[in-house]
């Protein structure tokens, strides 16, 4: 029986739902702090709404653009990604916050290059491996080096959460691309060894591990954020305390409008709201996977797989952090967390996924 599931429409609808839902939740999570610090309760909402408008434009462009352009200009896309990541280290250009230099300051606004670079790498890998399957170590060298350079620049910011997200997506792409099982297992082992080393090299990461194990041991320092997230999720119960009625947003929960916005969703809308949010993400990710599986050529399949893997991994990491399933680390929830660059890039990616699904649907139609 012919399937009635249309991945392209599932991608568009879920993207718009998540983005609009994000604007509502950003207002709820940030209105008090925005009023206090910027004398404007709508400070973050205005920026997100503008980004959503721009995101619609770039999403439409992603829907109609020729996908072969991305393949043709793969090296340019990759080099631009590397250059943008390197620019953050230029004094006066890179913007520092909470000990991390992750943003480029344009004067009138800032943006985070890693939001662009992680997808730039996936585009490059898909285009390169479509013509050069990584069937032996020699053919794995360029994809590995390309991924390692991006990961190195991101970890230097430092930003371990996005580094892990990109690293896992790189490994997944090599596996999907056809790397030999022995080499793939060796790569996984090397990554597994590298993660503890990266943690040991930075004392604050060790503190976060300890805070994850027992946040109540240091409730006013490293354990504070996770404890406040527990309070938010726990007080939400089944149906929540009500939309716009969060108590944790009154400066108790740090980064309530960004990295920990899922905590506010759980507090205000309860378990039901959390399940709804996860369900919409699940539809989007399932549609992305279906797009990759159904694609009629290797390039489209790898491209859809790479883009979807970033969405899935970043969503999984964010929710895992907020719920205390993995050690605390800063990573925004795709489409929902405050951040104009992030929203526009993710919406553009949704447009590309829609494009691939639409092309595939036309090719499969009798």
């Amino acid at each position: 029986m012919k399937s009635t599931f249309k991945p392209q429409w599932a991608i568009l609808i879920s993207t718009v739902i998540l983005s609009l839902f994000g604007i509502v939740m950003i207002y709820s999570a940030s209105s008090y702090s925005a009023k206090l610090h910027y004398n404007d309760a709508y400070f973050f909402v205005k920026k997100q709404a503008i980004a959503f408008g721009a995101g619609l434009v770039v999403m439409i462009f992603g829907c109609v653009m020729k996908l072969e352009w991305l393949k043709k200009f793969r090296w340019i896309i990759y080099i631009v990604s590397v250059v943008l990541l390197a620019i953050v280290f230029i004094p006066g250009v890179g913007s520092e916050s909470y000990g991390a230099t992750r943003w480029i300051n344009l004067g009138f606004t800032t943006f985070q290059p890693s939001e662009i670079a992680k997808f730039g790498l996936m585009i490059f890998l898909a285009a390169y491996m479509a013509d050069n399957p990584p069937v032996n170590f020699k053919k794995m060298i360029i994809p590995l080096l390309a991924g390692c350079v991006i990961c190195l620049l991101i970890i230097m910011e430092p930003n371990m959460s996005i580094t892990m997200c990109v690293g896992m997506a790189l490994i997944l792409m090599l596996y999907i691309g056809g790397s030999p099982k022995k080499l793939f297992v060796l790569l996984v082992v090397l990554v597994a060894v590298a993660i503890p080393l990266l943690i040991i090299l930075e004392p604050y990461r060790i503190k976060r591990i300890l805070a994850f194990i027992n946040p109540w041991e240091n409730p006013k320092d490293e354990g504070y954020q996770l404890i406040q997230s527990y309070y938010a999720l726990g007080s939400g119960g089944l149906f929540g305390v009500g939309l716009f009625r969060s108590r944790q947003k009154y400066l108790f929960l740090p980064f309530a409008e960004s990295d920990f916005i899922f905590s506010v969703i759980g507090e205000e809308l309860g378990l039901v709201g959390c399940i709804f949010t996860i369900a919409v993400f699940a539809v989007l990710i399932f549609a992305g996977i279906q797009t990759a599986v159904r694609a009629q050529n290797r390039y489209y399949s790898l491209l859809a797989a790479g883009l979807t893997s970033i969405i899935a991994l970043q969503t999984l990491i964010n929710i895992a952090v907020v719920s205390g399933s993995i050690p605390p680390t800063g990573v925004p929830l795709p489409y929902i967390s405050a951040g104009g660059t992030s929203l526009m890039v993710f919406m553009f990616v949704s447009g590309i996924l829609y494009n691939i699904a639409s092309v595939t649907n036309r090719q499969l139609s009798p």
Side-chain angles (χ1 to χ4, degrees), residues 52 73 111 119 128 134 176 230 250 257 281 285 290 312 325 348 350:
F52 176 71
F73 298 112
F111 75 95
F119 287 116
Y128 183 85
I176 295 172
Y230 285 157
Y250 292 107
E257 76 283 350
F281 272 115
I285 293 165
Q290 284 293 300
S325 302
F348 176 62
S350 290

Side-chain angles (χ1 to χ4, degrees), residues 56-251:
L56 287 175
V57 174
V58 296
M59 184 169 70
I60 292 171
F61 176 70
C63 290
V64 300
M65 69 178 292
K66 292 184 178 180
L67 295 169
E68 284 69 24
W69 291 351
L70 298 177
K71 188 176 184 182
K72 181 178 180 181
F73 298 112
R74 60 183 180 268
W75 279 105
I76 294 176
I77 292 170
Y78 177 74
I79 291 170
V80 168
S81 298
V82 171
V83 170
L84 287 174
L85 287 173
I87 286 176
V88 302
F89 301 107
I90 299 176
V93 178
S95 179
E96 184 178 338
S97 179
Y98 295 96
T101 307
R102 303 174 184 174
W103 299 266
I104 292 177
N105 190 347
L106 298 178
F108 60 92
T109 188
T110 60
F111 75 95
Q112 196 167 348
S114 60
E115 295 292 344
I116 298 171
K118 62 192 176 189
F119 287 116
L121 176 62
M122 294 301 108
I123 292 169
F124 172 80
L125 291 175
Y128 183 85
M129 292 196 299
D131 297 329
N132 304 276
V135 293
N136 55 49
F137 180 73
K138 184 178 179 180
K139 291 192 175 182
M140 288 175 65
I141 291 176
I142 289 181
L144 274 174
L145 285 177
C148 287
V149 169
I150 295 291
C151 287
L152 178 62
L153 288 169
I154 296 175
I155 197 65
M156 286 172 61
E157 294 178 345
N159 191 340
M160 188 170 180
S161 54
I162 296 299
T163 303
M164 290 179 61
C165 181
V166 173
M168 287 188 287
L170 168 63
I171 293 173
L172 185 61
M173 284 290 281
L174 287 170
Y175 177 76
I176 295 172
S179 63
K181 289 184 179 180
K182 290 183 179 179
L183 290 175
F184 177 76
V185 171
L186 176 62
L187 182 60
V188 171
V189 171
L190 290 174
V191 170
V193 172
I195 291 174
L197 289 176
L198 289 173
I199 293 173
I200 293 171
L201 288 173
E202 290 289 349
Y204 78 90
R205 292 183 186 136
I206 298 176
K207 290 181 179 179
R208 287 186 175 182
I209 296 292
L210 295 175
F212 164 68
I213 296 172
N214 184 10
W216 282 274
E217 186 175 338
N218 198 354
K220 294 184 178 181
D221 193 7
E222 290 296 331
Y224 178 80
Q225 191 169 31
L226 186 55
I227 290 173
Q228 297 305 317
S229 181
Y230 285 157
Y231 286 157
L233 291 171
S235 62
L238 186 59
F239 297 106
V241 298
L243 186 62
F244 307 134
R245 298 180 65 183
S246 166
R247 292 182 291 269
Q248 291 304 107
K249 68 182 180 183
Y250 292 107
L251 304 185

Side-chain angles (χ1 to χ4, degrees), residues 261-291:
I261 197 167
F262 192 76
S263 301
V264 178
I265 294 173
E267 182 183 11
E268 295 191 345
L269 304 178
L271 179 62
V272 172
C274 290
I275 291 175
F276 165 78
T277 305
I278 294 171
V280 179
F281 272 115
V283 170
L284 173 59
I285 293 165
F286 177 74
I289 293 172
Q290 284 293 300
T291 299

